[in-house]
Amino acid sequence: MTVTIFLNGNKITEDVSPDETLLSFVRSHGCKSVKCGCETTNCGLCTVFLEDTPVLSCALLAVRADQKKVTTLEGLPKEAEEFGSFLADQGAEQCGFCNPGLIMNAIALFRENPHPSDEEIKRYLAGNLCRCSGYEGQMRAIKEFVRWRDSNEQRQ
Amino acid sequence: MNSVSKPIRKKDAMQLVTGKPVYTDDLAPENCLIVKLLRSPHANAMIEHIDVSKALLVPGVEAIYTYLDIPKGSRRFTCAGQTYPEPSPYDRLLLDKHVRFVGDPVAILAGTDEKALQRAMKLIKVEYKVLPAVLDFRTAKDNPVLVHPEADWESLCPVGADNRRNLCAHDECGSGDIEGVLASSDIVIDRVYHTKACQQTMMEPFATFCTIDAYGRLNVVSSTQIVFHCRRIIANALGIPKTMIRVSKPRIGGGFGAKQTSVSEIYPAFVTWKTKKPSKIVFTREETQTASSPRHEMELHVRLGATKEGIVRAIDLYTLSNTGAYGEHGPTTVGLSGHKSIPLYGKAEAFRFVTDVVYTNVMSAGAYRGYGATQGLFAVESAVNELAEKLGIDPFVLREKNIVKEGDVMPAYYGETLTSCALDRCLQKVKEMIGWEQKGQVRSVGENRVRCLGMGMAMQGSGISGVDVGGATLRLGEEGIYLLSIAAADMGTGCDTTLAQIAAEVLDCSPDRISVFGADTDASPYDSGSYASSTAFVTGKATEKCALKLREKIETLGASLLGAERKDVTFDGEKVSYQDNFVTLSEIAAASMAGRGTLEVTECHTSPNSPPPFMVGACELEVDLETGEVEVVEFDAAVDCGTPLNPNLVRVQAEGGILQGIGMALYENIEYSEEGVARHNSLMQYKIPTRMDVGRIRVAIESSYEPQGPFGAKSVGEVVINTPLPAIADALSKAVGVRFTELPILPEQIALKKRFFRE
């Protein structure tokens, strides 16, 4: 069936198979940051925004995104770099494979709750698995980022 | 030092965090044939008849291969990434008439789209003669059912293997009069421990793509830790010369040893070699969970003799290891269970270490961070914790009385002398961090709720003595920028960066001036690959030697351009100076290009020793004794990895390893049905820790200086996974009052044991 999806600001109209996942759709359109880690909505690697809500694209059909805005990390280069550099400063990106999904969800968290507590951070990102870092470095990066962003805003 | 020991960013960090397409499946050509495997539904069966004719008619299907397509008389091989001649037996064919576990490949399918292949898979008709299967590894040795009855099974090394007995390996070693010392000990702890076949569960599944290049050679791009071994394995599997194969790795989405076995490469390699078309395979998570290379399940029988003052006098260890259907890493992992646990106890007068590695009809095991030491340390450290309990001695105090010290000869560690050790400081540090003395090992925090503490020690190695080879090539480019070419595999560990830090330190420049390239069998110098905790120590030393030689060459050429002798010039990283004159690095580089001798050096390194890194870890848990629910409140650890090459990366490696260890202790369970079907086939069933599961993990670095390592460094990658297992088991034993000897320790076991114990 024919769908129109606004992927990172680009209007794409094309035929998709009714059982094609949004994950496969965005990857086939060059958004390779979106990874498949489990196929069962357990790992968070395939997180994208549907409109402005984080969703797991492995469990969402492409047709569900018809007439909707889909954003991947490719569509948020500035935010990715800004927050990502704090992961990099901790060495907490490690293998990097889970990073795009984590960063998408972290961006969603900051938009919803600019000053999350440790517990709120853990809860919000609970579905983003990482096997390298033990999560501690990610937590340090998030807190450093929030501190930096706040001091930046104060200055402005 | 200006570069080494600095917490600089990883060279690839910004590419990774901005989601750039740098992993295998991101880079595969769009027109690749998709490769899928039809897998055996039986644990042990012979294929009587297989018919693919209907499946081949499905539009989009390009080719289907079965065991009938494998030339008769093909030599068996192993998929274990080890230095030739591999200790792992040659027991595999690319496809075999005999399938040996649920998930063993029966047919390779290649086609233009996945749906066509799914349809085709259902149309392949296979008739099996189902055979009885060996599913309990305790019954495997000398079982009438043989996993490998075939006559062409081969063992290349004297590892005590005998396929007619289901034995993948057998070994015995020891020193001193073990029975005599045990008999004269004041106390003997005698326990059997059991650990399961945990999965590495790296986030990136196994993935490989292949093309034929302009020279007609097979070009393999794969998520692998071992490009050179992989090339040999593919050559063996396809029966073609190694010279026809090039293997390279892009970024790797985690390895942890899983990718020290060629799990996925041989299938698309075969398809592309046959069809001359590009092809790729990306394992599903289910395949990654059920047909891969997990940790060896082990049963460990410890007999530990001590004086009543708590001096460990003798350790007798028997390890039974389950290698599954194939022998990948079977003969070698088991060795670490004793050789990297017993030597911690420096005062022991005798040890004995006997091992059996058996074949069974479950998926083959492989290499997983810790590589047998993890299992051995769980057993030995648990026994020592029990000893402390029985003698009423604090576990830290007992360790302080016994630990191995710098200068000690370690009979159970291949007779090596310990040249660096901060184990004593690690003990002291962790005791303070966790608040051991203030808190006590158990305290009530409410009705049926207790807080409990436990601890454990660990060691590992730094590469395989006399076997692992590290290689590095350094070249000065015309702009005065260095290129460091390696075949060690950065799998997130950061070795591209730490090796550049080593080179930069020697060459007096910023690590930014060192471009790193690797790993590629056509372009990198030989390196056995990134495993066995070898990269920092072995490849690191090769890099240091290489940089020193290049420095010498730069000084020599600079001196000659200045009309001076090398001994009279100085090199500050930017220019070579003689009295008031100097030539810049770029000028020296330009001169080298113009026929004054190339400024390129390749060095390899192999070490006669494998200096062990050490770690001490302690946990604080909160346990609900009614439900058995465990909350990991805190895990504190101190690691001695010699000089930390990059403290950020050391810290994150340690934190990550600790959480994997916690997962193995509390959640991660591999179970099979009575038919040998893996139950934990997704991340829904196989529970790795989330960020909700642990309060906090804290890591301290207690540096020592290892004289044989680059700038004093030892390894860190593996030792970090080991301490949570004995620490958590001991804390829970204290909480419940019954020893836990099997992992994982699940809430129901805690609740049941508590109830049982009360009655």
Side-chain angles (χ1 to χ4, degrees):
Chain A
M1 56 191 292
T2 306
V3 295
T4 297
I5 295 175
F6 300 88
L7 178 58
N8 295 326
N10 297 318
K11 182 176 172 183
I12 301 167
T13 301
E14 68 175 41
D15 269 345
V16 297
S17 145
D19 61 354
E20 177 162 13
T21 61
L22 185 58
L23 168 61
S24 138
F25 180 88
V26 298
R27 275 190 71 85
S28 69
H29 286 88
C31 298
K32 304 283 191 190
S33 76
V34 189
K35 305 291 193 233
C36 180
C38 74
E39 304 115 16
T40 50
T41 69
N42 294 105
C43 74
L45 266 62
C46 64
T47 305
V48 302
F49 293 166
L50 184 64
E51 297 299 329
D52 287 315
T53 309
V55 295
L56 296 170
S57 61
C58 76
L60 199 78
L61 296 175
V63 292
R64 285 281 192 176
D66 188 23
Q67 301 301 328
K68 293 202 167 90
K69 200 170 82 178
V70 173
T71 310
T72 70
L73 205 63
E74 283 85 353
L76 300 168
K78 187 168 166 280
E79 281 159 288
E81 193 175 331
E82 228 169 50
F83 173 61
S85 64
F86 284 84
L87 284 172
D89 283 340
Q90 295 294 335
E93 77 289 353
Q94 289 285 294
C95 86
F97 207 72
C98 75
N99 284 208
L102 167 77
I103 295 173
M104 289 300 289
N105 221 12
I107 291 170
L109 164 68
F110 300 139
R111 287 180 183 176
E112 261 180 54
N113 179 0
H115 294 97
S117 67
D118 286 12
E119 198 50 35
E120 285 168 336
I121 293 168
K122 282 188 171 187
R123 266 185 206 290
Y124 200 96
L125 302 176
N128 292 94
L129 297 183
C130 168
R131 193 62 157 167
C132 296
S133 73
Y135 306 111
E136 289 286 340
Q138 294 181 352
M139 183 61 108
R140 288 193 291 275
I142 290 168
K143 289 161 100 167
E144 286 291 320
F145 169 77
V146 170
R147 213 168 295 148
W148 167 84
R149 186 203 58 201
D150 287 353
S151 67
N152 243 10
E153 278 166 7
Q154 263 175 10
R155 249 178 274 138
Q156 279 161 7
Chain B
M1 285 187 283
N2 295 317
S3 298
V4 164
S5 279
K6 295 287 178 285
I8 61 168
R9 273 189 195 175
K10 267 167 61 197
K11 283 180 165 289
D12 52 359
M14 292 314 292
Q15 299 302 303
L16 301 184
V17 296
T18 51
K20 295 296 185 291
V22 293
Y23 302 92
T24 302
D25 190 32
D26 304 342
L27 300 169
E30 291 295 332
N31 63 345
C32 262
L33 291 172
I34 310 287
V35 177
K36 286 267 163 202
L37 302 173
L38 175 69
R39 295 177 177 280
S40 166
H42 304 295
N44 195 15
M46 285 289 175
I47 300 169
E48 298 271 84
H49 186 71
I50 184 159
D51 178 5
V52 300
S53 55
K54 279 209 178 106
L56 276 169
L57 299 175
V58 175
V61 172
E62 172 87 16
I64 301 176
Y65 304 104
T66 69
Y67 77 91
L68 298 165
D69 297 291
I70 308 301
K72 275 218 162 61
S74 293
R75 189 182 181 190
R76 289 180 183 270
F77 59 94
T78 178
C79 284
Q82 300 179 301
T83 300
Y84 182 84
E86 302 95 321
S88 300
Y90 275 23
D91 55 10
R92 271 186 194 267
L93 291 171
L94 189 66
L95 293 167
D96 203 341
K97 186 178 162 68
H98 186 177
V99 285
R100 296 176 178 82
F101 73 97
V102 176
D104 214 358
V106 170
I108 304 171
L109 297 86
T112 49
D113 71 284
E114 206 149 309
K115 272 190 204 162
L117 295 176
Q118 298 290 2
R119 266 200 302 279
M121 229 182 254
K122 291 189 184 130
L123 293 170
I124 299 177
K125 278 192 82 144
V126 195
E127 284 168 31
Y128 295 97
K129 182 183 171 198
V130 179
L131 304 168
V134 187
L135 294 171
D136 179 355
F137 76 128
R138 296 173 187 92
T139 67
K141 189 172 157 184
D142 294 323
N143 193 303
V145 176
L146 293 179
V147 179
H148 285 278
E150 63 275 7
D152 57 353
W153 175 97
E154 265 182 272
S155 172
L156 276 54
C157 296
V159 294
D162 183 353
N163 62 324
R164 309 303 304 178
R165 302 183 63 197
N166 280 334
L167 262 185
C168 173
H170 169 82
D171 194 30
E172 294 177 18
C173 64
S175 104
D177 172 17
I178 184 74
E179 290 299 345
V181 179
L182 281 172
S184 65
S185 291
D186 297 334
I187 177 170
V188 174
I189 304 292
D190 189 328
R191 283 276 180 198
V192 176
Y193 301 88
H194 180 212
T195 60
K196 302 264 183 83
C198 296
Q199 280 288 1
Q200 298 87 351
T201 326
M202 60 285 160
M203 286 293 112
E204 182 199 29
F206 298 96
T208 305
F209 76 82
C210 301
T211 55
I212 297 289
D213 71 13
Y215 309 99
R217 297 166 76 222
L218 180 66
N219 203 324
V220 181
V221 178
S222 192
S223 186
T224 178
Q225 301 171 221
I226 41 152
V227 288
F228 279 100
H229 293 334
C230 195
R231 183 175 67 149
R232 180 186 63 246
I233 292 163
I234 293 169
N236 287 346
L238 272 53
I240 63 174
K242 280 195 281 189
T243 50
M244 292 306 288
I245 304 167
R246 171 186 180 188
V247 180
S248 62
K249 66 125 197 100
R251 289 298 98 185
I252 300 174
F256 312 112
K259 295 166 183 176
Q260 196 202 333
T261 298
S262 284
V263 173
S264 60
E265 288 87 355
I266 54 178
Y267 307 107
F270 186 72
V271 167
T272 293
W273 190 249
K274 282 278 196 185
T275 62
K276 305 300 173 194
K277 292 181 179 175
S279 74
K280 76 166 177 184
I281 194 164
V282 179
F283 272 34
T284 60
R285 181 55 65 182
E286 184 177 357
E287 287 175 298
T288 302
Q289 284 290 115
T290 59
S292 44
S293 55
R295 191 181 289 289
H296 287 76
E297 177 184 28
M298 288 186 190
E299 187 174 86
L300 308 104
H301 184 181
V302 182
R303 289 198 305 155
L304 186 143
T307 67
K308 57 183 185 304
E309 291 77 28
I311 302 298
V312 176
R313 294 186 60 207
I315 302 177
D316 183 18
L317 176 63
Y318 169 72
T319 305
L320 176 66
S321 172
N322 182 1
T323 195
Y326 299 97
E328 271 99 22
H329 301 279
T332 40
T333 39
V334 75
L336 274 67
S337 70
H339 295 304
K340 285 172 188 170
S341 58
I342 298 168
L344 284 171
Y345 294 89
K347 294 192 175 151
E349 300 150 50
F351 84 93
R352 179 168 58 197
F353 178 37
V354 178
T355 58
D356 279 316
V357 184
V358 291
Y359 281 119
T360 59
N361 291 111
V362 298
M363 91 177 107
S364 171
Y368 180 4
R369 193 180 210 170
Y371 203 80
T374 311
Q375 297 94 310
L377 285 159
F378 166 60
V380 170
E381 286 298 281
S382 290
V384 173
N385 282 332
E386 185 174 352
L387 173 71
E389 184 178 286
K390 289 238 162 87
L391 293 174
I393 299 176
D394 180 280
F396 274 94
V397 174
L398 191 131
R399 280 358 184 262
E400 284 156 12
K401 291 180 181 201
N402 282 287
I403 49 169
V404 67
K405 299 216 158 59
E406 231 168 76
D408 285 357
V409 175
M410 300 173 285
Y413 194 69
Y414 325 108
E416 289 188 18
T417 303
L418 187 56
T419 41
S420 61
C421 180
L423 194 49
D424 50 346
R425 277 186 279 131
C426 290
L427 280 168
Q428 192 55 40
K429 184 77 186 175
V430 172
K431 203 167 163 179
E432 288 162 17
M433 286 167 85
I434 198 89
W436 185 268
E437 279 166 357
Q438 300 87 312
K439 289 176 182 163
Q441 262 198 285
V442 205
R443 63 189 197 278
S444 172
V445 288
E447 198 185 341
N448 275 316
R449 288 190 83 80
V450 292
R451 286 276 178 113
C452 49
L453 274 61
M455 63 82 67
M457 304 194 299
M459 63 185 286
Q460 199 79 38
S462 296
I464 310 171
S465 315
V467 174
D468 281 344
V469 176
T473 299
L474 262 169
R475 184 169 81 215
L476 179 63
E478 60 195 79
E479 311 80 11
I481 297 286
Y482 301 97
L483 178 71
L484 171 63
S485 178
I486 52 170
D490 193 332
M491 56 195 121
T493 45
C495 72
D496 287 357
T497 308
T498 48
L499 294 173
Q501 286 176 270
I502 291 172
E505 191 65 49
V506 176
L507 294 163
D508 268 316
C509 68
S510 156
D512 293 340
R513 296 247 314 255
I514 316 254
S515 301
V516 182
F517 170 86
D520 181 334
T521 55
D522 270 14
S524 304
Y526 178 77
D527 189 295
S528 37
S530 282
Y531 59 86
S533 289
S534 62
T535 302
F537 181 74
V538 183
T539 309
K541 195 69 188 178
T543 305
E544 186 193 4
K545 281 160 71 177
C546 186
L548 282 167
K549 272 216 172 141
L550 183 62
R551 190 182 169 102
E552 193 182 308
K553 278 192 149 192
I554 291 168
E555 288 169 355
T556 305
L557 180 51
S560 119
L561 293 172
L562 293 165
E565 297 279 316
R566 182 180 160 230
K567 64 178 172 46
D568 299 321
V569 300
T570 55
F571 174 49
D572 64 0
E574 299 285 337
K575 56 192 185 308
V576 172
S577 307
Y578 174 60
Q579 293 168 350
D580 293 338
N581 296 325
F582 65 85
V583 280
T584 65
L585 204 52
S586 307
E587 286 165 344
I588 295 169
S592 83
M593 305 280 160
R596 299 288 295 265
T598 53
L599 290 176
E600 178 171 318
V601 177
T602 296
E603 272 293 319
C604 65
H605 180 69
T606 180
S607 172
N609 301 311
S610 177
F614 295 97
M615 191 157 188
V616 175
C619 65
E620 179 170 359
L621 313 177
E622 187 164 324
V623 186
D624 182 323
L625 295 172
E626 277 300 312
T627 64
E629 189 194 7
V630 177
E631 185 194 335
V632 181
V633 179
E634 177 152 334
F635 198 98
D636 292 335
V639 63
D640 161 22
C641 59
T643 302
L645 292 173
N646 181 323
N648 264 4
L649 299 181
V650 165
R651 185 182 188 186
V652 178
Q653 280 284 305
E655 290 165 346
I658 287 167
L659 192 61
Q660 272 183 324
I662 292 173
M664 184 172 170
L666 289 174
Y667 319 114
E668 297 177 33
N669 201 5
I670 290 277
E671 283 185 320
Y672 288 93
S673 75
E674 276 170 24
E675 291 76 39
V677 180
R679 287 208 175 100
H680 290 78
N681 60 0
S682 78
L683 296 189
M684 201 97 74
Q685 282 84 19
Y686 189 77
K687 294 177 174 64
I688 66 168
T690 73
R691 72 189 74 226
M692 299 294 291
D693 292 321
V694 176
R696 63 172 180 174
I697 297 171
R698 295 191 303 170
V699 173
I701 300 171
E702 283 295 330
S703 305
S704 62
Y705 189 90
E706 171 47 53
Q708 301 170 85
F711 297 98
K714 299 187 279 193
S715 80
V716 73
E718 291 189 275
V719 70
V720 293
I721 198 172
N722 298 325
T723 60
L725 286 62
I728 288 173
D730 192 43
L732 290 173
S733 299
K734 288 281 185 305
V736 178
V738 181
R739 303 304 304 178
F740 287 95
T741 56
E742 184 172 40
L743 299 180
I745 306 167
L746 302 171
E748 54 265 37
Q749 291 161 356
I750 296 167
L752 285 173
K753 277 212 180 187
K754 182 69 198 170
R755 218 154 288 169
F756 181 74
F757 184 61
R758 229 184 263 150
E759 286 155 14

